[in-house]
Amino acid sequence: MSNPALKPTEPFGPKSSSDEVSGVRQKLEKQFRQTIQGATGQPVVETLVPGKNGLSAGALEIARNLGGKGISATVLAGFVRLADILVIASTALIAAVTGPETTALSLAQIFTTAAAILFTLAFFQAADVYQVSVMRRGLSQLGRAAAGWTLVFAILVVLRSTTDIAAGLSDSWIGPWYALGLSGLCMVRLVVYWLVRRWMKSGSLERRAIIVGGGTAAAELIHDLEAQPDNDIRICGIFDDRSNDRSPPVVAGYPKLGNINALVEFARLARIDMLIVNIPLRAEKRVLELLKKLWVLPVDIRLSAHTDKVRFRDRGASFIGTVPFVNVIEKPIADWDMVAKRIFDLVFATIAIVTLFPVMVATAIAIKLDSKGPVLFRQKRYGFNNEVIEILKFRSMYTEMADPDAKKVVTKGDPRVTKVGRFIRKSSIDELPQLFNVLTGRLSLVGPRPHAVNAHTDNKTWDDVVDGYFARHKVKPGVTGWAQINGWRGEVDTPEKIQNRVECDVYYIENWSILFDLKILFMTPFRLFHTENAY
């Protein structure tokens, strides 16, 4: 949960004067200094000195305070639309069954209800009712919803009196439906208003951004972003490789938290949503160097076109208000894609557990009969955003020889592996308990396989072997993946093998779709017959 002391109240919105903007910035700088000094007991200058992990004490404190999952504005708008649809449909039915005729909806009423839903959603969309900036305004949201709903019924009444399209629709149904629907839609708006205000206050409903590159250009960009009304961007700090004489430690009230190398760790800890690279587009070499370091993060990366004074068409750039940006990298599997993938995981993981439950029971019995020790084996592995997670496997080694830290790679004829272990490793039955990890949300059914934290080849950890290795952690890891479908499973004894795995994982991330997941899922059982590298 974010620390309120680090977040100004209503940080974005129209400013009445330059003096007011200056006052807000001074207040922010004072809040930052007080917060850091209170948390560390040291002056702010000392807390900005990098520590062993690359982050200063102040930056680390801010990252920890910002940690926590956010709420997608796109997904929120989708659920509000769904609530509106349910209200309109249910109130139409209630008006029909409680009227004088007390009948279910007729064909004409069903058609009218469907048309009302389409028109209402269209009018609400045009009135920006599904924008977070409107959702957080109670009276404005209620007024727009009521006006849109009334307009739909005005059109319906006109059509009913001038055409035969709505003939046969009685006043005893239309009148109560209008009143019930208006009450229901207003009730939804009040609930949404309360939730949005609560989430905005807690910092859950916002896009957390980092400015890459400081100085005067960053100050101008921040000034323009703050001038955009109802902006949901929250600037969490500035990172710059330049020294303080070229890039001040505080810019427009926001602290410079470190250099570019420290940025990656900060972005992971603080769950940053967006990196705004504030470097002129003409500095192509410098931009490419930065992107090579930053592309491993599961975030949107945008180049600010603010300092270049380039005019863009709407199709050529994205905008925050009127401030133009060039989209370089989009966050993979975000918003509704994330919801769809989660539903996919829950449905197919449940089906798999029910179907394979007898196999899992038989495996558990075989393990207990074959050797002493627990049935399940727990191991620390890298998950989404480089988080360390614990996954479940059927135990395939002798308990006294187990290697939870994966310090030694399992090889052909490995004496640590039990008789049952050899079979379940070759057939991948040892991975079946990970279906329960899918239900808890730690894993996905399909994705890059989670590797052990200390996995290594030739005495080098895999992130040292492969440049950009951690890019495979931009999405949630999976029980099966594109690398396994292409034969890259089992022993990893050469740098080329891990390189090929990472290339397959990155290809999957860049080309993800539900259909791609289905393809991998249904190909997995057939690929398990290729066991030459599984020991």
Side-chain angles (χ1 to χ4, degrees):
M1 197 66 66
S2 58
N3 187 340
L6 294 174
K7 181 181 179 182
T9 303
E10 300 293 341
F12 302 109
K15 304 295 188 294
S16 59
S17 68
S18 59
D19 291 339
E20 186 176 351
V21 173
S22 177
V24 170
R25 289 174 177 169
Q26 291 175 4
K27 182 179 178 181
L28 286 175
E29 182 173 350
K30 182 178 180 181
Q31 286 178 343
F32 165 71
R33 292 178 180 273
Q34 289 176 343
T35 300
I36 298 305
Q37 188 164 352
T40 63
Q42 299 176 1
V44 66
V45 175
E46 294 182 20
T47 64
L48 291 175
V49 177
K52 294 181 180 180
N53 57 4
L55 285 177
S56 64
L60 189 59
E61 180 67 19
I62 292 175
R64 287 171 176 167
N65 287 330
L66 286 170
K69 294 183 179 180
I71 298 169
S72 165
T74 304
V75 174
L76 172 62
F79 278 112
V80 176
R81 286 188 182 93
L82 179 60
D84 288 342
I85 293 171
L86 293 176
V87 166
I88 296 171
S90 62
T91 53
L93 180 60
I94 293 171
V97 299
T98 59
E101 301 177 0
T102 63
T103 60
L105 292 174
S106 66
L107 185 61
Q109 289 172 328
I110 292 174
F111 175 80
T112 303
T113 302
I117 289 173
L118 293 177
F119 278 110
T120 302
L121 295 183
F123 290 152
F124 283 6
Q125 183 70 32
D128 291 333
V129 173
Y130 298 117
Q131 296 293 325
V132 173
S133 58
V134 175
M135 290 181 190
R136 69 183 186 184
R137 291 189 232 138
L139 291 177
S140 177
Q141 187 181 181
L142 284 173
R144 297 184 192 204
W149 182 241
T150 302
L151 181 58
V152 168
F153 272 79
I155 294 172
L156 177 60
V157 170
V158 171
L159 290 175
R160 181 169 173 266
S161 61
T162 59
T163 69
D164 294 331
I165 295 176
L169 302 179
S170 64
D171 292 336
S172 62
W173 176 64
I174 292 179
W177 181 27
Y178 170 76
L180 289 170
L182 181 62
S183 300
L185 291 172
C186 288
M187 185 64 68
V188 169
R189 307 271 83 73
L190 290 174
V191 172
V192 169
Y193 168 74
W194 179 77
L195 289 174
V196 167
R197 297 290 293 188
R198 180 181 179 184
W199 289 332
M200 296 272 308
K201 185 177 180 180
S202 67
S204 299
L205 189 59
E206 62 188 3
R207 287 184 292 173
R208 298 171 180 174
I210 286 175
I211 305 292
V212 183
T216 304
E220 292 178 358
L221 174 62
I222 292 170
H223 172 77
D224 281 358
L225 285 175
E226 288 177 339
Q228 306 306 312
D230 301 314
N231 197 333
D232 66 337
I233 298 295
R234 176 182 179 185
I235 299 171
C236 299
I238 298 170
F239 285 80
D240 198 340
D241 280 338
R242 294 176 297 177
S243 57
N244 286 348
D245 57 336
R246 298 180 61 198
S247 177
V250 178
V251 177
Y254 295 92
K256 186 175 73 173
L257 301 177
N259 57 26
I260 305 304
N261 290 329
L263 186 157
V264 174
E265 183 177 356
F266 180 89
R268 293 192 189 282
L269 291 174
R271 292 185 177 274
I272 295 299
D273 300 300
M274 180 188 303
L275 302 182
I276 300 176
V277 180
N278 188 45
I279 295 175
L281 300 178
R282 58 184 177 273
E284 181 179 350
K285 183 178 179 181
R286 176 59 176 150
V287 170
L288 290 176
E289 289 176 353
L290 281 174
L291 294 179
K292 187 177 180 181
K293 294 180 179 179
L294 302 178
W295 78 285
V296 300
L297 292 169
V299 299
D300 293 332
I301 299 180
R302 299 185 181 183
L303 297 181
S304 170
H306 177 265
T307 56
D308 293 82
K309 307 300 180 184
V310 179
R311 289 188 177 182
F312 287 93
R313 295 181 179 179
D314 289 351
R315 294 183 180 179
S318 63
F319 290 81
I320 298 175
T322 59
V323 183
F325 295 89
V326 178
N327 294 339
V328 180
I329 297 174
E330 297 286 344
K331 182 178 180 179
I333 315 182
D335 299 326
W336 281 109
D337 286 341
M338 180 174 61
V339 175
K341 188 169 176 62
R342 182 59 181 151
I343 294 173
F344 176 92
D345 287 342
L346 291 174
V347 170
F348 283 94
T350 301
I351 293 173
I353 289 173
V354 172
T355 304
L356 298 171
F357 188 71
V359 176
M360 288 191 276
V361 171
T363 302
I365 294 173
I367 291 172
K368 290 299 290 184
L369 293 175
D370 183 51
S371 61
K372 63 179 181 179
V375 169
L376 295 177
F377 175 72
R378 302 173 186 271
Q379 189 174 57
K380 302 290 185 180
R381 298 198 177 188
Y382 279 122
F384 170 71
N385 198 30
N386 266 30
E387 290 183 351
V388 177
I389 62 174
E390 186 177 75
I391 69 162
L392 300 174
K393 295 182 68 175
F394 280 126
R395 180 175 58 84
S396 59
M397 294 184 180
Y398 293 103
T399 302
E400 63 274 13
M401 298 181 182
D403 184 17
D405 295 327
K407 294 179 179 179
K408 183 179 179 181
V409 177
V410 177
T411 57
K412 188 174 182 179
D414 198 313
R416 298 174 298 168
V417 180
T418 66
K419 294 178 181 178
V420 172
R422 290 192 181 92
F423 174 76
I424 63 176
R425 290 178 71 92
K426 274 186 171 293
S427 58
S428 291
I429 292 176
D430 64 323
E431 311 284 0
L432 291 183
Q434 290 169 33
L435 293 171
F436 294 99
N437 291 127
V438 174
L439 293 183
T440 61
R442 291 291 187 180
L443 297 181
S444 180
L445 267 181
V446 181
R449 286 290 297 143
H451 293 159
V453 174
N454 294 315
H456 59 275
T457 298
D458 292 340
N459 295 320
K460 293 183 179 179
T461 57
W462 286 350
D463 56 302
D464 289 329
V465 174
V466 178
D467 189 24
Y469 169 81
F470 286 125
R472 64 192 305 277
H473 300 154
K474 294 168 72 172
V475 300
K476 196 179 295 185
V479 178
T480 184
W482 187 236
Q484 286 64 43
I485 296 301
N486 285 276
W488 300 111
R489 58 186 289 257
E491 183 182 7
V492 181
D493 53 356
T494 65
E496 290 74 23
K497 286 183 179 180
I498 184 57
Q499 177 73 45
N500 288 328
R501 286 192 181 193
V502 173
E503 288 177 359
C504 286
D505 293 336
V506 172
Y507 176 86
Y508 167 79
I509 293 170
E510 294 177 348
N511 295 275
W512 174 86
S513 70
I514 287 292
L515 290 178
F516 195 13
D517 273 4
L518 277 171
K519 176 181 178 180
I520 294 172
L521 192 60
F522 286 113
M523 289 179 67
T524 296
F526 302 100
R527 295 300 184 183
L528 292 179
F529 291 111
H530 302 282
T531 62
E532 59 272 12
N533 292 322
Y535 308 125

